[in-house]
Each structure stands twice: as structure tokens, then as C-alpha cells.
Amino acid sequence: MIKPNIETPQLGERNTALPLREKRLKFWKRDWFQMLPFSVIIVIFVIVALAPGWIANHNPNLTDLAIRLKNPGFHNATGTYLLGTDELGRDVFSRVMYGARVSLLVSLCSVGVSGIIGGLLGIIAGYYGRIVETIIMRLADMVLSIPFLLLAILTVAVLGPSLFNLIVVLGLVRWPRYARVAQGKTLATVNQDFVKGVIALGAKSGRVIIRHIIPEVIPPLIVIGTIEVGLMIIYEASLSFIGLGVQPPTASWGTMLSEGQQYLTQAWWLASFPGLAIFLIVVSINMFGDYIRDRLDPKSKRR
Amino acid sequence: MKYIGRRILQAIIAMLGVSTIVFFILHLSGDPVKLMAPQDASAKDIAVLRHELGLDQPLGTQYLHFIGNIFKGDLGYSYIQNVPVINIIASRFPYTLDLALGALILSLFFGISIGLLSAIFRGKWIEKVLMPIILIGQSMPAFWTGILLIMFLSVHLHLFPSSGVGGIKSLILPSITLASLSTATIARMTRSSVIDQLDQDYVRTAYSKGVGKGRLLVRHIFRNSAIPIITIVGLEIANLLGGAVITETIFAWPGLGQLTIQSISSRDFPLVQAIVLLGSAIFIGVNLITDLLYAKVDPRIKLGRDAS
């Protein structure tokens, strides 16, 4: 049986990568009401993503070449086209709304996949130590030393582009970030007296991990996960932008931007609104992530 | 010397690991030949190709062969153009290098100065102007930045060409686009590590001893906050190659990023694989250099590591 590695506190060594202790200033100490606009954007985003049909007033994939590239505010017998129409006469507003669904689905699922994989591997590495730790953490280092976007592009290209593969790939290439934090936190927890005591009393490994380690590991993972959701939204859009993500005609902010780029001179609204949507939601998530980090973890300001 | 030797050994092991990961990803689909062969290839063509590429051999042999070739510098032949992938990469690399250098200069200059200013003038209006800029830079997806730049500066104002290569003028917009995210990251890191130093006792001591503000900043504070900044700059240099894929797509810039997309759509896997390996080698190399730089900037690291 492998014993937990109580005597190997290598925390100091492992954390030399970013020896950073940011002093929060008044500027960063946001109160909840300063978070209000960002929270509102996030809530709207989630509602839109869950039920885009409530708000969108057209079928996002319905083409009508008679009304292609119409200005925002254009309206005809079928209703108003709030953000104009695209090169196939589809309603840009409805497509932005439906794009939110893809964005939320991919970002949340991939964060879930990478968080669970990374969290579990990190806990295993931190708890059992020795060879298990070496293998897992070296593997994490190696995955981290392949430029992330290139790794994602290679994997999607091999597996073939689809919504499901996108989630799997973003999840699989992103786990090392969680693993590093989970491993560090597990090491710190295992070395605390109460955990040593529980182990000395004969608690089984499974019980120690579930009852004592996981509750300690989850808060920092949530902090990383929140910020990662924003990044994943950008990466989903990036991969879709270069044609390796969500495939047309499904509305995705990334594909809308790449289609819109071809009509920059005639129709500024095609690329502007999906870009604005990405920007607003990512700013909000970043602000929210900073806020949660400060609330959950006021002592350590490491990134 | 021992420290340097150990770091170089680690870098070689990392490269070995990365090659292994890439090898397994290429075998994820089950049969790499199906990926490489044209859609209408006959069963016989596929068998011939499989033999040519050595893919009919056991996986272990293939793996050893693959790793051996990488360390010999032989990355194989492009399936489409039938020339060594190294030659294709060499012809595109200078473009990406130009772009990356342009972006690096911009992000170092603006990142460090924005970070420094917002740290020194914390609580003042300068900081209140600069912090939202950092935040916006962090949240702007590169492709949107690029498209906005094209929309305003080339479509409306006709200041810069919207795509292609041609003199320094065509380099400006892609460099800004590629630099935007790194600038924000470098600024944030500079700011927090300088603020970290500002509160230290030695700074107060030096100031009360009569050290001038400028000298204090350059000789004392900046030197001590250099390590986190070097780390993040190293990571950002390595990230530039990934970011180049997007930026080059937007601006039709004929570098490695565009080559990646082209080779994926033509299913030229030896080329894709070589680009990924090159990107990782650059990443690992840059990290090695930053680690060696630490020892130069802060001798304590070298001594500490050797002692352990």
C-alpha cells in the first residue's frame, strides 16, 4: 500500500515560478455594488444562453437573400432586425443570442472536465507523493510546455472539428493548471496536525481525501475555474474563428466574426456585435473572478 | 555550473516528453494514414503510403524512430509539397519572427511603463486611467482587436494596409494586435511586483538615507521586482507563437501561424506536427533562458538551488 507523503513539503520549491504577493489596493477592493453591472451581464448571459429562443425574434439559421446585409434597425413584414442582417440575410441579433448558448456550453463543460481531471490528479499527486507525484506533475509540466492554442489546434485537427470534440480538447489540454493548485493545497492540508491526527487514528485514505482534503482543495479550484471560464470563451471563439470549432451554420461568436471580417467595408455590424458580446462577458467574468478570489482567499494573492 | 547543467538536462527531458505527447495525439484517431491520405485514395495507395511512412511497424518501433528522428533534426517530408518540412518552416519563420519582435517591443515598452506608472501613482488619477486599460486589454480577444483596428485605421482612415506584407507599415497593425494581451499581462505583473517592493522596509530606509527617487526606482525597486517580470515576459514570448495563429489569419500574414492553418486544411500532418514541436521547443528554450537569467539577476537562486 502506498503511504501518504507527510514528510515531503516541497511547497517552497514548487512555487518559485511566480513568487508574487500582490497587495490589494483600495482600487481593487470592490464592494458588491461595484460588481453589480458585471453580475447583471453574467446573469443576462446565462439566461440568454439557456433560452435564446425567448429573446431572439427570428430563426438564427433562416436565410433570406432578399434582405442580405441590411443595416441594424432594418424592419420588414417579419419583424425588426435589431442588429441588421448578415451576408445570407440571417438576423444578426438572433445569431448573437444563439451564439451565447454555444459559448456557455463549451466554456462551462470544458472548465468542468479540466477542473475534475486536474483536481483529482493533483490530489492524488499531493496525497501519495513520490513516484506518483513525479509522474503526474512532470506530465503536467510537459503539457504546459506545448503552446496551448497549438496543442488544441493539433488535437482538434486529428479528432475532427465538432462541438463535442471542442469540449473534450479544451478540457484535456487545460487540466495542469488545476492539478498544480490542487497538489499544492493537498500537500499543505496533509501536513496539518488535524489531518496527521486523523491518519494516525487509522482513517482510510479514501475517507481522509473525501472528508478533509477535497473541502480544502475546492475553493482555490473554483477561483481558477471562474477565470478559466472567461479564457475558454475566448478560446472557443478563437478555434471557431479559424474554422476548427463549431461548424457552420450553427451560430457561434467566433464563426460570426470570421464571416464578418470578409464584409468589413460593407457591413461593420457583422463583426462588431459578436466581438462586443465576447468582450462584455469576458470583462464581467474577469472582474467577477478577481472579486471571488479576494473574497474566498483574502490572505494569498498569488496568481 | 551545476545549476545550469541540471536546467539544460531538464529542458531536454521536457522536449522528449512533449514529443511523446505529440506522437500519441497523432495516433489518437487510430490510424494516422487515414488522416494523411487524400479522401479518394484506394486501399492499395493507403497500404503503400503506410509502408512508406513506416506505419506498418509496431507502435514501439515507430515511437523510437519518431523520437530518434526529432533529435537528429529530421522532421520528415511535407505530404503535400514533398519537400522537407524544415525548408517550408524556414521560409515562413522570418515573417513570424518580425511579427513577434514587433509585438514584443510594443508589449515590453507599454507593459512595463503602464505597470510602473500605475504602481508609483497608486490611488492617483493616473492609476485610475491606466487600470481600466489593463483590464480591457486582458479581456479583448485578439481577433476582435485586430478587426476593430482594421475597421477604424485601414477601412475608414486608410492609414494602414488591412492585410498582407509590405514594409514596416503593414507590420504595425498585426504587431499591435498580437501585443495587446501580453501588454496587459506584463503591465499587471509589473504593477503588482513593484507595489510589493514599495512597501518593503529597505525602500523606506534607502529613501530616508537620501537616495534620489529615480535612483531608488531603477537601482533598488526595479531590480528587486525583476524576477516575476522576467518570468511573465518569458511566458509571453512563448505565447506569441500561439497568438500568431490568430493574428496571421486576420491579417493574411504569411508566417508560421498561417502555415499552421493551411497545413491543417490540407491535412499535411508532418508539417503540423513539426510546427507544434517547434513551438514547444521555443517555449522550453525561452523558459530555460529565463531560468538562467534569474541566476544572473538574483545570485541567491543559484546558490540556494546548488546547496539543496
Side-chain angles (χ1 to χ4, degrees), chain A residues 13 16-25 27-28 30 38 139 141-151 153-155 157-160 173 231 233-235 237-239 241-242 244 253-254 257-258 260-261 264-265 267-269 271-279 282-284 286-287 290 293 303, chain B residues 13-14 17-18 21-22 25-29 35 122 127-128 131-132 135-136 138-144 147-148 150-151 155-156 188-189 191-193 195-196 199-200 227-228 231-232 235 238-239 241-243 245-246 249-251 260-261 264 267 269 272-273 275-276 279-281 283-284 287 294 305:
Chain A
E13 194 191 330
T16 47
L18 292 177
L20 175 88
R21 209 151 292 254
E22 193 179 57
K23 296 264 155 55
R24 278 302 128 121
L25 304 164
F27 190 85
W28 286 109
R30 301 179 201 90
F38 304 111
L139 186 65
D141 289 347
M142 284 161 191
V143 174
L144 280 178
S145 50
I146 306 176
F148 170 72
L149 200 60
L150 286 183
L151 181 60
I153 287 173
L154 176 72
T155 320
V158 169
L159 295 176
V173 297
L231 272 176
I233 289 177
I234 290 188
Y235 281 124
S238 302
L239 285 171
F241 182 79
I242 55 180
L244 288 173
W253 292 339
L257 271 162
S258 83
Q261 199 198 343
L264 275 187
T265 44
W268 56 268
W269 55 93
S272 303
F273 292 117
L276 187 66
I278 300 173
F279 173 67
V282 175
V283 169
S284 307
N286 284 347
M287 295 294 284
D290 279 356
R293 181 179 54 199
R303 260 175 308 185
Chain B
I13 293 173
V18 167
I21 294 173
V22 170
I25 290 177
L26 283 174
H27 286 78
L28 263 184
S29 62
L35 288 175
R122 48 181 167 164
E127 193 204 25
K128 292 193 169 118
M131 285 315 291
L135 193 76
I136 289 171
Q138 257 189 331
S139 312
M140 288 281 277
F143 41 92
W144 200 45
I147 286 175
L148 286 181
I150 293 177
M151 223 152 74
V155 174
H156 285 291
R188 211 172 158 166
M189 184 57 77
R191 175 177 173 276
S192 58
S193 66
I195 286 176
D196 220 24
D199 294 343
Q200 303 278 327
I227 285 201
T231 311
I232 206 82
L235 289 175
N239 279 335
L241 193 64
V245 176
I246 305 290
T249 310
I250 305 169
F251 291 95
T260 314
I261 305 297
I264 279 175
R267 313 197 74 67
F269 276 83
V272 182
Q273 164 198 315
I275 295 170
V276 176
S280 317
F283 188 95
I284 292 169
N287 268 332
Y294 289 168
R305 291 260 174 104

Side-chain angles (χ1 to χ4, degrees), chain B residues 144-155 173-174 176-177 251:
Chain B
W144 200 45
T145 316
I147 286 175
L148 286 181
L149 287 172
I150 293 177
M151 223 152 74
F152 289 108
L153 298 181
S154 50
V155 174
L173 292 190
I176 297 177
T177 306
F251 291 95

Side-chain angles (χ1 to χ4, degrees), chain B residues 26 36 53 75-80 85 89 263 267-277:
Chain B
L26 283 174
M36 295 182 198
L53 296 172
L75 293 167
Y77 280 76
S78 155
Y79 186 68
I80 306 293
V85 289
I89 289 180
S263 51
R267 313 197 74 67
D268 196 348
F269 276 83
L271 195 49
V272 182
Q273 164 198 315
I275 295 170
V276 176
L277 288 175

Side-chain angles (χ1 to χ4, degrees), chain B residues 82-95:
Chain B
N82 209 24
V83 285
V85 289
I86 283 284
N87 297 3
I88 304 178
I89 289 180
S91 70
R92 298 292 198 98
F93 190 64
Y95 292 104

Side-chain angles (χ1 to χ4, degrees), chain A residues 19-160:
Chain A
L20 175 88
R21 209 151 292 254
E22 193 179 57
K23 296 264 155 55
R24 278 302 128 121
L25 304 164
K26 266 188 197 151
F27 190 85
W28 286 109
K29 273 190 200 148
R30 301 179 201 90
D31 288 308
W32 66 269
F33 57 85
Q34 280 172 292
M35 293 309 299
L36 199 62
F38 304 111
S39 318
V40 169
I41 291 177
I42 293 175
V43 170
I44 291 177
F45 170 70
V46 172
I47 292 174
V48 166
L50 290 177
W54 283 3
I55 297 145
N57 53 350
H58 289 89
N59 179 341
N61 295 328
L62 184 71
T63 61
D64 182 356
L65 291 179
I67 53 165
R68 60 195 297 270
L69 300 179
K70 293 292 181 197
N71 284 316
F74 169 80
H75 58 93
N76 63 6
T78 57
T80 306
Y81 293 82
L82 199 60
L83 303 181
T85 61
D86 70 1
E87 73 279 9
L88 297 173
R90 295 173 294 196
D91 179 29
V92 173
F93 178 71
S94 304
R95 288 181 71 72
V96 171
M97 296 297 115
Y98 277 86
R101 171 186 275 181
V102 170
S103 204
L104 184 80
L105 183 73
V106 172
S107 56
L108 280 188
C109 291
S110 57
V111 164
V113 170
S114 50
I116 290 171
I117 295 177
L120 284 181
L121 285 178
I123 289 173
I124 292 171
Y127 189 77
Y128 291 108
R130 299 172 205 221
I131 185 78
V132 182
E133 181 189 40
T134 312
I135 292 173
I136 293 177
M137 298 322 287
R138 289 304 133 230
L139 186 65
D141 289 347
M142 284 161 191
V143 174
L144 280 178
S145 50
I146 306 176
F148 170 72
L149 200 60
L150 286 183
L151 181 60
I153 287 173
L154 176 72
T155 320
V156 173
V158 169
L159 295 176

